Amino acid sequence: MPVSATLAANDAIARRRAQGLPVVPLGFGEAGLPVHPLLAKALSDAAGFAGYGPVAGIPALRDAAAGYWSRRGLPTEASQVVAAPGSKPLLWAILGARGGGVALPRPSWVSYAAQSAMHGLPVVRVRSVGGVPDPVELDAVAREGRLSTVVVTLPDNPTGRLAPPPVIRELCEVAERHDLLIVSDEIYRDLTEMELLSPASVVPHRVVVTSGLSKSLALGGWRLGVARFGDDALRDAVIDMASEVWSAPAQPVQHAAALAFSEPPALVERVAQSRNLHLRVGAAVAALFDTPPPDGAFYLYPHVPGFDTDRQVAEHLLASNGVVVLPGSEFGDDPAACRIRVATSLLYGDTDAQKLAALTSDTPESLPWIAAHLATLAAALHPGEFAHK
Ligand SMILES: Cc1ncc(COP(=O)(O)O)c(C=O)c1O
């Protein structure tokens, strides 16, 4: 199994920096923001909790996550929640426990296909609208009888688009018709201002929602994800897998996560500031690529003309200007579509002081260290450059 494409892009950034070359880091989808002090304190206060604890997570965390979803219009009991070291292992366990064919949006986040392959599950990629397979095409594929699960990403990585409620309703109808499990990856849910309809509001019994702390609170390295199950048998199967693979999430992190999911005002404010920052800088970068601003998350998915393949686009941007992006084909897209995934969340500065200034600025795109990245990018994207491949 090759190293995840997103981690490989991160390596490319480190290599150029070591050589003293300029870098515009648009490759890695990490929410580059400081840990909120409330959470840092909660984590250190909980350092003494050294026991494994329950496989599905400590009651305080399962309770808090249930409250988080209930406040978003998805009434949830603590017993429906399973916590894990990241939503990634949860997705892996869900796909494996369910088994059968998996329909993925084209394009979609790299790990769904890789995880399906690890389980030996057949994957069908379906043209997508903002992270949701086109319902008509999905219906046609499902009629062939090979599908068991469909994955959706709301809002989407890599496109930064959010599928609108009518598309979700149609998808749910198709899932009902063909008895499909819907895995709804809502890890970017709090990073959009648009209306988000979760499939779990429409057909709750056949949906697993996943989320976590990696994006909205920028705690990817703390490794904490949660899943909300509509079906007890699938939940129990995932807990069985968890007990044999990771035992339980790190207990001190669970205590801090319980605080995070209880959403005290200071953290609500931090998430709001982060959302604002991602959307604002995302819009500034989108203008340079001449592509619409993101609906949510911190991704753009522009088409770049003048090249034969998306890899040529990525190589050109990296070699001539140190602009690191990922080709759309890494996400299962057609290389000839010449689309690239642009992640804008590592532009906020090198120090915590710069990142905090960006979080509280009304015009973060004009802070000198962000404006400098935008200027390098603007030079890289000058139309004259693209004319000469
Ligand atoms: C769509 C999507 N789902 C899940 C994850 C991983 O989340 P976690 O850190 O909870 O494992 C990512 C992170 O890149 C992502 O983009």
Side-chain angles (χ1 to χ4, degrees):
M1 178 87 28
V3 173
S4 161
T6 48
L7 297 177
N10 216 30
D11 286 348
I13 296 177
R15 275 198 306 277
R16 280 189 70 96
R17 286 216 168 108
Q19 292 164 29
L21 295 168
V23 161
V24 184
L26 302 173
F28 197 48
E30 177 159 297
L33 290 167
V35 176
H36 193 284
L38 256 190
L39 292 170
K41 179 170 184 319
L43 181 63
S44 84
D45 286 352
F49 288 100
Y52 286 104
V55 173
I58 58 172
L61 171 55
R62 296 177 82 191
D63 242 11
Y68 166 91
W69 274 306
S70 299
R71 286 188 293 281
R72 282 157 181 77
L74 288 177
T76 307
E77 302 290 333
S79 60
Q80 290 175 262
V81 177
V82 176
S87 59
K88 216 174 190 176
L90 282 168
L91 289 161
W92 173 84
I94 293 161
L95 291 171
R98 170 73 171 174
V102 181
L104 297 181
R106 188 182 68 238
S108 55
W109 180 50
V110 290
S111 295
Y112 307 133
Q115 292 186 349
S116 302
M118 288 167 113
H119 290 301
L121 306 178
V123 164
V124 185
R125 293 187 182 272
V126 180
R127 182 170 53 86
S128 78
V129 186
V132 174
D134 175 71
V136 173
E137 219 175 279
L138 181 68
D139 188 55
V141 173
R143 274 175 208 285
E144 292 165 22
R146 293 177 295 130
L147 279 189
S148 170
T149 303
V150 55
V151 178
V152 304
T153 317
L154 304 170
D156 186 33
N157 172 13
T159 65
R161 302 262 75 90
L162 175 62
V167 172
I168 301 297
R169 288 201 187 88
E170 271 183 68
L171 173 93
C172 292
E173 273 171 34
V174 175
E176 279 286 272
R177 197 173 305 139
H178 299 286
D179 192 24
L180 304 180
L181 172 75
I182 303 175
V183 176
S184 187
D185 181 343
E186 300 179 13
I187 196 158
Y188 297 99
R189 172 176 194 131
D190 293 335
L191 299 181
T192 182
E193 288 173 345
M194 294 172 61
E195 180 192 356
L196 186 154
L197 177 66
S198 173
S201 304
V202 187
V203 284
H205 52 290
R206 59 176 64 258
V207 180
V208 187
V209 181
T210 57
S211 188
L213 303 179
S214 305
K215 309 301 174 181
S216 53
L217 286 165
L219 296 173
W222 285 20
R223 307 310 300 128
L224 197 288
V226 283
R228 175 196 185 276
F229 288 86
D231 174 87
D232 290 352
L234 183 61
R235 176 202 57 196
D236 292 347
V238 165
I239 293 174
D240 283 352
M241 289 174 86
S243 74
E244 300 300 352
V245 180
W246 61 81
S247 300
Q251 198 168 166
V253 173
Q254 293 189 66
H255 284 270
L259 175 69
F261 282 115
S262 72
E263 300 186 278
L267 296 184
V268 172
E269 188 192 359
R270 167 58 71 88
V271 174
Q273 288 173 337
S274 311
R275 178 169 54 236
N276 238 357
L277 176 61
H278 296 313
L279 292 176
R280 232 176 130 124
V281 173
V285 175
L288 297 177
F289 276 102
D290 200 16
T291 199
D295 295 336
F298 30 71
Y299 303 112
L300 308 169
Y301 196 62
H303 162 74
V304 179
F307 293 85
D308 296 328
T309 67
D310 54 9
R311 205 160 287 282
Q312 285 175 4
V313 178
E315 283 169 5
H316 168 83
L317 290 174
L318 181 60
S320 52
N321 305 88
V323 176
V324 186
V325 298
L326 292 176
S329 49
E330 296 289 354
F331 300 85
D333 217 341
D334 173 7
C338 286
R339 290 192 173 272
I340 51 170
R341 206 267 327 245
V342 176
T344 58
S345 53
L346 289 180
L347 298 179
Y348 307 142
D350 295 327
T351 64
D352 277 6
Q354 287 180 331
K355 293 172 190 173
L356 288 171
L359 270 175
T360 50
S361 169
D362 288 337
T363 53
E365 66 281 9
S366 48
L367 292 169
W369 55 94
I370 298 179
H373 279 316
L374 296 177
T376 309
L377 181 61
L381 296 176
H382 189 276
E385 298 244 12
F386 289 126
H388 321 92
K389 288 203 183 175

